[in-house]
Amino acid sequence: MSNTVSRSASQDASPGLSQSAFLKRLLDDATQPFLGGGRFAYHYARGKLGGDPIFRELLRQGLLPERGRFLDLGCGQGSLFSWLLSARALYEKGQWPAGWPTPPRPDQLRGVELMQKDVERAARAFGPNHPVLRIEQGDMCRTDFGKVDVVTILDALHYFDHAGQEDVLRRIHAALPPGGLFLTRIGDVSAGLPYHISNWVDHVVTFARGHRLPKLYARPLADWRALMQRVGFEVATQNMSGEKPFANVMLVCRVPS
């Protein structure tokens, strides 16, 4: 799998397209499918995709490979998938910021989500016969991951206990090929007040989605890194709180080649 840009930046960019204008256009396109899912689905997608820096950074940094089988665990209503599909569509129209890497064109997008309400919102957004996208109800602690090239878990690992976390991570590692990518974001308990602020926001969002408030099983960043390495991943970290006073850290984990 390669993140190599297949065309020059000047070919990929739309003349005069600023990053802010591009992100606004992308947000509009990526949230449009959720209009059919009701007001909550649409406004939740706009808030998540427009306010969370991780979605922008996945594209700006070219963290995802251009092709492959993508698996998003705890995918919610599929906002990440809509973002990636819309990004690729804009790229193919020549509407792309200068210097940004080629966005993914996944061969398969599979999402697994525990909450049936979110699965139903996804079904209304994407329809039953999407050519590459499928979102199913399931528990990542039990679901068969199959063989994939990329796995993502955004802000969901802390919903189950430490033994369960390690089991899921070992199964993710086994599902990926050499060089395969696992991306996740975690809260760093050792950050103090910013962690508690982000924890409070997490509870508010979970409650707004119509779910009960969960018990959280968090760790300090050093423990998350040690866990990933014990499972067999090479790990790099990035702060992923943007300008918000949170303790969110993205872990970029790869199976050694």
Side-chain angles (χ1 to χ4, degrees), residues 27-51:
L27 179 63
D28 289 343
D29 288 0
T31 54
Q32 193 278 334
F34 297 103
L35 283 169
R39 293 181 61 187
F40 176 82
Y42 175 70
H43 289 291
Y44 177 79
R46 286 198 73 86
K48 185 69 174 172
L49 295 173

Side-chain angles (χ1 to χ4, degrees), residues 24-249:
K24 182 180 184 305
R25 189 173 304 171
L26 176 56
L27 179 63
D28 289 343
D29 288 0
T31 54
Q32 193 278 334
F34 297 103
L35 283 169
R39 293 181 61 187
F40 176 82
Y42 175 70
H43 289 291
Y44 177 79
R46 286 198 73 86
K48 185 69 174 172
L49 295 173
D52 190 331
I54 197 168
F55 297 101
R56 178 193 67 232
E57 292 305 305
L58 288 176
L59 298 175
R60 189 183 68 82
Q61 297 184 36
L63 293 171
L64 300 170
E66 189 173 349
R67 301 298 299 267
R69 299 156 296 176
F70 290 40
L71 173 63
D72 188 19
L73 299 173
C75 67
Q77 63 183 18
S79 299
L80 171 61
F81 290 166
S82 191
W83 182 258
L84 296 180
L85 290 169
S86 298
R88 183 69 194 197
L90 287 174
Y91 170 81
E92 291 180 351
K93 294 175 184 176
Q95 300 174 10
W96 196 248
W100 282 33
T102 303
R105 182 164 66 91
D107 301 301
Q108 180 186 88
L109 293 168
R110 178 189 172 205
V112 176
E113 170 55 45
L114 181 63
M115 305 301 182
Q116 183 62 33
K117 287 183 179 179
D118 286 331
V119 176
E120 291 168 0
R121 293 183 184 113
R124 289 192 292 270
F126 301 108
N129 299 309
H130 196 281
V132 299
L133 186 152
R134 176 168 60 95
I135 292 178
E136 63 197 56
Q137 194 280 330
D139 183 344
M140 73 174 81
C141 295
R142 298 177 176 84
T143 297
D144 181 3
F145 299 155
K147 292 297 182 181
V148 292
D149 302 294
V150 178
V151 179
T152 51
I153 301 180
L154 302 184
D155 309 313
L157 265 177
H158 54 291
Y159 289 149
F160 41 95
D161 64 29
H162 289 177
Q165 291 169 3
E166 182 158 351
D167 179 68
V168 165
L169 292 171
R170 290 192 181 280
R171 292 192 297 114
I172 289 171
H173 187 277
L176 291 166
L181 173 66
F182 170 51
L183 272 174
T184 190
R185 184 169 58 183
I186 53 86
D188 177 10
V189 170
S190 63
L193 180 60
Y195 169 76
H196 294 292
I197 293 172
S198 55
N199 190 10
W200 177 81
V201 171
D202 186 48
H203 275 87
V204 170
V205 171
T206 301
F207 183 77
R209 289 170 63 197
H211 310 315
R212 66 180 178 82
L213 300 181
K215 180 178 180 180
L216 303 182
Y217 298 86
R219 303 170 185 256
L221 176 58
D223 289 0
W224 282 115
R225 286 184 60 102
L227 172 60
M228 300 299 173
Q229 291 168 343
R230 183 165 70 248
V231 167
F233 288 111
E234 298 173 343
V235 187
T237 65
Q238 284 190 44
N239 180 283
M240 201 50 64
S241 300
E243 298 179 355
K244 297 180 176 67
F246 296 162
N248 295 329
V249 181

